[in-house]
Amino acid sequence: MATPEQRRQSLTDTRRALVLDAAREVFQQHGLAGANMREIARRAGYTPGAIYSYFDSKELIYGALLAESLERLNAAVAEAVPADSTGTTAEPAASPAAPPTAAPAAELRARSRAWFEFFTRNPRDLDLGFYLVQGLAERGLTPELNRALNQRLHDALAPGEQALIALGLGADAARFEATALFAQGVGLLLLRHTGRIKLFGQDADMLFNHYLDGLIARLSRG
């Protein structure tokens, strides 16, 4: 049987989740700049003063939403199962930081496809990530929270870097190629998300695979 403290914590968690759900809707409709605490409170069913018990600002609400998104991203990358040279699947790594458990090329492909597919399935999570580009850090995110969020994004990309090192690159070169791969993927995701990919009559998924194939072939020749 739950204790009074456990029941209070459960109620707090439920109310906090309602605020986050409401804020997600407001951000999606109005962007970060157009969002305000009053509208978030209204959609959550609270007075504006009530939600300050959970968050001091809309920027901190954004930070909580992005943190939750990044945890799901990391889980998706960690659960990706590389295929070995025979085409069968290897055991998944225990964590995003675990060493490769399949051939490096298969590891690179599986972990990279995992984050690309996560954002393909969840375009609103991609939107969340790009609110940060609009000067959010200067308008409310603390440096500590900003660093923590950036670190969790890097954690999701780290297995790809490790696979690149296993393919023979040094640490700096692996970071360079991982960054280029992420930039390629994000560009394609934005083209797909906005519908601009239709202007070229291309498929974002096929183009990402093409880039990955080229990267792996180039490194294999090297």
Side-chain angles (χ1 to χ4, degrees):
M1 184 174 179
T3 66
E5 179 59 32
Q6 289 172 329
R7 287 195 293 271
R8 283 193 294 271
Q9 184 60 50
S10 177
L11 182 60
T12 297
D13 291 344
T14 299
R15 289 173 173 170
R16 186 175 184 274
L18 287 173
V19 172
L20 290 176
D21 288 343
R24 187 180 288 108
E25 292 180 0
V26 174
F27 290 153
Q28 287 164 6
Q29 292 181 9
H30 303 290
L32 183 68
N36 61 73
M37 295 290 273
R38 183 176 297 278
E39 178 61 15
I40 293 171
R42 185 187 70 80
R43 297 208 188 188
Y46 298 123
T47 63
I51 65 171
Y52 283 99
S53 301
Y54 307 101
F55 300 100
D56 290 336
S57 68
K58 65 180 182 181
E59 286 81 11
L60 290 181
I61 296 177
Y62 163 85
L65 285 171
L66 182 54
E68 186 270 341
S69 170
L70 290 171
E71 291 309 312
R72 288 189 288 109
L73 170 64
N74 274 271
V77 173
E79 292 166 3
V81 181
D84 63 22
S85 59
T86 67
T88 59
T89 55
E91 289 298 318
S95 71
T101 58
E107 184 75 17
L108 175 62
R109 188 182 304 279
R111 306 301 176 185
S112 301
R113 289 288 317 169
W115 60 255
F116 186 81
E117 290 171 4
F118 174 84
F119 286 123
T120 297
R121 294 190 306 270
N122 303 286
R124 292 175 179 176
D125 289 274
L126 186 67
D127 288 345
L128 272 177
F130 277 88
Y131 290 137
L132 188 60
V133 178
Q134 299 173 8
L136 177 62
E138 298 176 0
R139 303 208 310 271
L141 278 187
T142 65
E144 293 78 12
L145 179 56
N146 190 35
R147 283 193 295 270
L149 293 172
N150 286 336
Q151 181 59 52
R152 289 306 284 152
L153 175 58
H154 181 258
D155 289 343
L157 304 179
E161 282 190 39
Q162 292 166 2
L164 287 164
I165 290 172
L167 282 166
L169 294 182
D172 289 344
R175 174 65 61 88
F176 178 89
E177 294 292 357
T179 303
L181 178 60
F182 184 62
Q184 177 78 8
V186 168
L188 289 170
L189 287 162
L190 289 174
L191 284 173
R192 178 174 183 162
H193 185 28
T194 60
R196 293 295 187 267
I197 194 75
K198 296 177 182 178
L199 294 174
F200 306 99
Q202 301 295 328
D203 179 82
D205 198 72
M206 290 180 63
L207 288 171
F208 188 70
N209 283 337
H210 177 75
Y211 186 89
L212 259 177
D213 290 343
L215 174 60
I216 291 169
R218 175 163 54 85
L219 293 178
S220 297
R221 289 194 300 270

